[in-house]
Amino acid sequence: MEIKSRFSISARRMSRSIIRELLKITDKPGLISFAGGLPYPGTFPAQELKEICVEVISESPQIALQYGSTEGVLDLRELLIAFLKDMGLEVTSEEIVITTASQQSLDLVGKIFIDFGDTVITENPSYLGAVSAFKSYSVHFLPIDMDEQGLRTDLLNKNLKELKSSAGNGNEYYQNMPKFIYTIPDFQNPTGITMSLKRRQELIDIAEEFDLLIVEDVPYRWLRYTGETLPMISSLDKGRRVINLFTFSKILSPGMRLGWITADKCIIDKFVQAKQAADLCTSPFNQKIVEGFIRRKLLESRIALNIRIYRHKQQVMLEALEEYMPKSPGMNWVIPQGGLFLWIMLPEGMDSDEMFNEAIERNVAYVKGSAFFPNGGGHNSMRLNFSFPSEEEIREGIRRLSGLIKSRIRGTA
């Protein structure tokens, strides 16, 4: 039997995560990895969580160890509603659902919105996990280039006007126009760029003009090291056309596998239906633990600790780049105001895909920039993570990587 021929179209479009596969390579002894977006283990509140686990088992076993509602534990949702209100986003208990981290949220977005052959707008480059999730639903991508202010709304507007002119009217319009715009406005993955307030408002205006949804992914929003906190796109939205994806992975622990979605209640209802087919409910045990963590007023102090640690690690990597990297035309990097990554641009003609194996031989790893471009490109770029490695590993890893880049520049001189 030819097994592969039995796979669905969606299954045939699936591929393994490049970053997850890279993590297998980075088990090599002595290798310094800037590849995965792993939080620093020193930020994990192990002792506090241990105490809360005991409390949950002692006081709420009938909830924690049982099936739960698909929407999520009500007490946790109410705490998150209060948490979001302090950020300028007001939602009700009917407008929020707990998920098994934001990767499930991305998959659910694809599941309820994307039909075969639909188009989705993304930034260019965009988060690999989102591209992978949407790709499995047989989507076409319309990537919009970025500049220092984020997604270029002028290019977005131009593309949409061209599509609208050929889209027709009524149902034909909705069948031919993109289903939604996917964006990471705060410390975008992979570039680290923060969308300006002007662009956020322009994005809302464009979405209203062309009747599009916006999927606003905010995994790093709380990890700001410099600059002014900007309002979420959803807080500027008067028509409830923004869907927000949140996660505890970067501010508490990725191992908890907890996130949440906020949206108009009719959209949340469809998320609940899709989630019921996927896993019935997110672990009530994990939800009760996080509920206890928030109720003890520990989340804000944990975020503050993460910021102190990551701000310093980012500075160490920036200083190492200044010290070791060649001062060659085209060689530059984004200095983000927060997040976990630095985006490196290499001299024109240099290919981070082609030099990757040699980097592994030199015991340093990165993510190839081309992995983040939905329709191809980006070969002279790479993404570096600074949250996981130690200060010493950051300095030594950048020294090794710069040695490779210098050798390539000499080879093309």
Side-chain angles (χ1 to χ4, degrees):
M1 178 187 295
E2 176 54 51
I3 299 295
K4 292 182 179 179
S5 66
R6 307 301 175 91
F7 290 144
S8 67
I9 293 174
S10 293
R12 292 198 294 271
R13 289 177 65 89
M14 293 176 185
S15 59
R16 288 176 178 256
S17 165
I18 293 174
I19 296 175
R20 295 279 86 78
E21 293 302 300
L22 276 175
L23 293 179
K24 298 177 183 178
I25 299 174
T26 57
D27 286 339
K28 176 185 175 184
L31 186 141
I32 296 173
S33 176
F34 299 136
L38 302 178
Y40 177 55
T43 65
F44 302 156
Q47 184 57 40
E48 293 95 331
L49 292 177
K50 177 181 177 181
E51 294 170 2
I52 294 170
C53 283
V54 172
E55 179 182 285
V56 167
I57 289 293
S58 300
E59 299 181 6
S60 307
Q62 74 283 3
I63 299 175
L65 303 180
Q66 184 58 276
Y67 287 116
S69 70
T70 308
E71 291 85 348
V73 172
L74 180 58
D75 288 343
L76 175 58
R77 284 187 286 144
E78 289 180 343
L79 287 171
L80 291 174
I81 288 169
F83 181 62
L84 294 175
K85 187 175 182 180
D86 291 340
M87 297 167 51
L89 178 60
E90 296 198 24
V91 297
T92 69
S93 60
E94 294 179 306
E95 297 174 316
I96 183 170
V97 60
I98 306 297
T99 62
T100 307
S102 60
Q103 192 61 39
Q104 182 184 57
S105 302
L106 290 165
D107 182 66
L108 292 176
V109 167
K111 191 173 185 178
I112 72 171
F113 286 113
I114 299 174
D115 289 316
F116 183 87
D118 277 344
T119 297
V120 166
I121 296 167
T122 69
E123 290 149 336
N124 197 40
S126 186
Y127 171 49
L128 178 60
V131 172
S132 177
F134 303 152
K135 183 180 178 181
S136 67
Y137 292 99
S138 302
V139 74
H140 295 296
F141 291 102
L142 176 55
I144 304 297
D145 288 343
M146 306 173 69
D147 61 17
E148 67 280 359
Q149 292 190 60
L151 182 146
R152 284 189 54 184
T153 47
D154 60 329
L155 295 180
L156 174 62
N157 192 47
K158 178 177 180 291
N159 276 270
L160 288 173
K161 283 182 176 178
E162 291 173 355
L163 285 172
K164 184 178 180 179
S165 67
S166 59
N169 299 310
N171 289 334
E172 186 180 351
Y173 176 85
Y174 292 104
Q175 290 169 0
N176 289 284
M177 292 296 284
K179 278 294 180 72
F180 58 81
I181 303 165
Y182 172 76
T183 179
I184 307 175
D186 297 297
F187 328 124
Q188 195 250 12
N189 184 357
T191 65
I193 292 170
T194 294
M195 186 183 294
S196 68
L197 179 58
K198 180 174 180 288
R199 292 278 175 88
R200 293 175 196 232
Q201 187 60 63
E202 288 173 349
L203 191 62
I204 284 288
D205 294 341
I206 289 171
E208 290 177 352
E209 179 181 352
F210 294 96
D211 199 14
L212 297 173
L213 293 169
I214 298 173
V215 178
E216 181 183 17
D217 199 355
V218 285
Y220 316 105
R221 178 176 175 82
W222 294 281
L223 299 179
R224 174 175 284 278
Y225 316 134
T226 60
E228 177 187 2
T229 298
L230 298 177
M232 288 190 295
I233 296 171
S234 52
S235 67
L236 304 172
D237 175 25
K238 307 305 180 185
R240 298 300 283 130
R241 64 177 63 251
V242 179
I243 300 165
N244 272 119
L245 312 183
F246 300 94
T247 181
F248 284 104
S249 292
K250 306 304 187 293
I251 57 176
L252 178 54
S253 159
M256 298 301 296
R257 307 312 300 137
L258 278 182
W260 71 101
I261 301 172
T262 62
D264 184 87
K265 64 181 180 181
C266 74
I267 296 177
I268 290 296
D269 182 62
K270 195 55 66 174
F271 274 124
V272 169
Q273 295 174 37
K275 183 171 168 57
Q276 285 172 344
D279 66 358
L280 298 181
C281 65
T282 297
S283 165
F285 185 53
N286 290 0
Q287 291 185 67
K288 291 298 291 183
I289 293 170
V290 173
E291 176 200 328
F293 193 82
I294 297 174
R295 200 175 294 284
R296 290 187 180 195
K297 310 291 186 183
L298 297 173
L299 185 59
E300 291 83 354
S301 61
R302 182 55 46 173
I303 291 172
L305 173 65
N306 291 358
I307 289 173
R308 288 197 298 273
I309 291 173
Y310 294 149
R311 178 191 287 126
H312 180 66
K313 283 173 172 277
Q314 183 199 66
Q315 189 58 37
V316 170
M317 181 170 280
L318 288 170
E319 290 173 357
L321 289 169
E322 285 290 343
E323 180 178 355
Y324 292 115
M325 285 295 178
K327 308 298 189 290
S328 299
M331 183 81 214
N332 59 78
W333 46 88
V334 175
I335 302 179
Q337 296 177 332
L340 303 180
F341 307 106
L342 295 184
W343 183 244
I344 311 297
M345 294 298 298
L346 302 171
E348 192 67 33
M350 191 171 292
D351 191 331
S352 67
D353 294 57
E354 191 271 329
M355 59 192 265
F356 180 77
N357 288 337
E358 187 175 347
I360 297 299
E361 291 174 3
R362 292 178 180 236
N363 280 330
V364 63
Y366 54 81
V367 182
K368 310 166 188 177
S370 60
F372 302 97
F373 287 77
N375 290 347
H379 293 280
N380 66 322
S381 59
M382 61 176 65
R383 192 194 74 178
L384 306 182
N385 165 259
F386 56 79
S387 61
F388 183 73
S390 67
E391 293 178 38
E392 294 74 17
E393 288 172 330
I394 290 172
R395 293 189 184 94
E396 176 58 21
I398 294 299
R399 189 190 67 79
R400 295 175 187 178
L401 186 59
S402 66
L404 170 59
I405 292 172
K406 288 174 182 176
S407 72
R408 291 302 176 108
I409 291 173
R410 287 194 296 270
T412 57

